[in-house]
Amino acid sequence: MVYVDNDPVCVAHGMAYWDNDTTRYLRGNLLEPFELLNNPQLRARIYLSRPVGVLICGLLHHIPDDLNPAETMQRLIDLLPDGSHVMITHYWAPDDDPETRDVAIEIQQRHLDGLGTGWFRSRDEIAIYLPGLELLAPGLVEPDDWWPAGPQLHGRMPEERLMLVGVGYKRHRKATQLRSG
C-alpha cells in the first residue's frame, strides 16, 4: 500500500504513523503522473507489471479546471496496466434537485472563500475523470448507493447528496498480431 500526498505536513504525519514494512507514505503530485508512478519508493511496493488499484479520494474537487484534471486523469490511466481499477470521489452539484444544487453552490463558495479550492461539478464533468474505463455498477453515484448503511429510513438530506463515487476498470486490450505479407 502506498499513500501519496503533496502536502509536506501530511506526508510527515503519514510517515510517522503509517510508514512501515507493508505501507509507504510518499510526497508526490497527481498532476505529475509519470513522475509519481516512477518514484523508486513507489516502484519498490507497487508492481506496475500487474493490475493495481488507485483510490483518488477527496482530491479532484480541489484541482481547478485551468490545471486540466481530466487530462491528468487520462495520462495517469494511460500509464496504469490493463486490468487496473481506479476509484474517485468528487463533490457534486446535483442537476436533479434545485434545493440541493443551491446548497452545493453555497458550500462551494465557502470552500473558495476559506480554503481557496473546492469545486462542486456536474455528473458529466466528473465522469470525464474516468476516461476509457468501464464504469462498474452501480456507476457514478452517491456513496450510500455503493455501500448502503442499511435500510434507508428517510430521504437523504441535501448535505448527504453532495458527493459522487465511481469505480472504473481498465479493460485488457487485445494484443495485435503482426502478419507477414
Side-chain angles (χ1 to χ4, degrees):
M1 171 96 48
V2 176
Y3 292 94
V4 178
D5 204 306
N6 70 346
D7 182 323
V9 173
C10 291
V11 173
H13 184 265
M15 289 178 72
Y17 287 98
W18 296 301
D19 208 53
N20 56 52
D21 291 341
T22 59
T23 306
R24 183 71 52 209
Y25 209 104
L26 305 175
R27 186 164 185 193
N29 189 339
L30 177 68
L31 296 174
E32 300 169 346
F34 182 79
E35 291 79 5
L36 177 63
L37 293 180
N38 281 298
N39 179 309
Q41 292 180 20
L42 181 136
R43 296 300 290 254
R45 296 269 195 256
I46 305 295
Y47 306 107
L48 294 176
S49 59
R50 301 186 329 216
V52 297
V54 177
L55 309 176
I56 302 175
C57 303
L59 175 62
L60 289 169
H61 45 252
H62 291 291
I63 301 175
D65 290 339
D66 64 332
L67 292 180
N68 205 343
E71 181 181 304
T72 296
M73 288 301 296
Q74 180 68 65
R75 290 185 3 236
L76 173 70
I77 290 165
D78 288 346
L79 294 168
L80 296 176
D82 291 349
S84 293
H85 288 79
V86 177
M87 189 276 283
I88 64 169
T89 65
H90 199 295
Y91 294 160
W92 176 43
D95 294 332
D96 64 344
D97 179 354
E99 177 187 0
T100 303
R101 183 164 181 77
D102 289 346
V103 170
I105 291 168
E106 179 183 340
I107 294 172
Q108 174 177 290
Q109 192 57 53
R110 289 181 187 194
H111 272 76
L112 296 176
D113 291 344
L115 295 173
T117 67
W119 290 273
F120 287 69
R121 294 181 171 111
S122 71
R123 183 182 303 275
D124 289 343
E125 290 171 314
I126 297 167
I128 64 172
Y129 299 143
L130 295 168
L133 300 180
E134 177 183 322
L135 201 56
L136 303 183
L140 187 58
V141 296
E142 296 169 40
D144 280 349
D145 293 335
W146 263 98
W147 194 265
Q152 192 168 350
L153 303 175
H154 60 81
R156 293 181 187 151
M157 304 285 287
E159 296 81 4
E160 296 174 303
R161 299 198 56 225
L162 299 178
M163 183 167 286
L164 292 181
V165 177
V167 178
Y169 171 71
K170 186 173 180 180
R171 190 164 284 292
H172 291 275
R173 292 174 287 201
K174 294 181 181 178
T176 304
Q177 286 187 317
L178 297 176
R179 297 182 184 173
S180 58

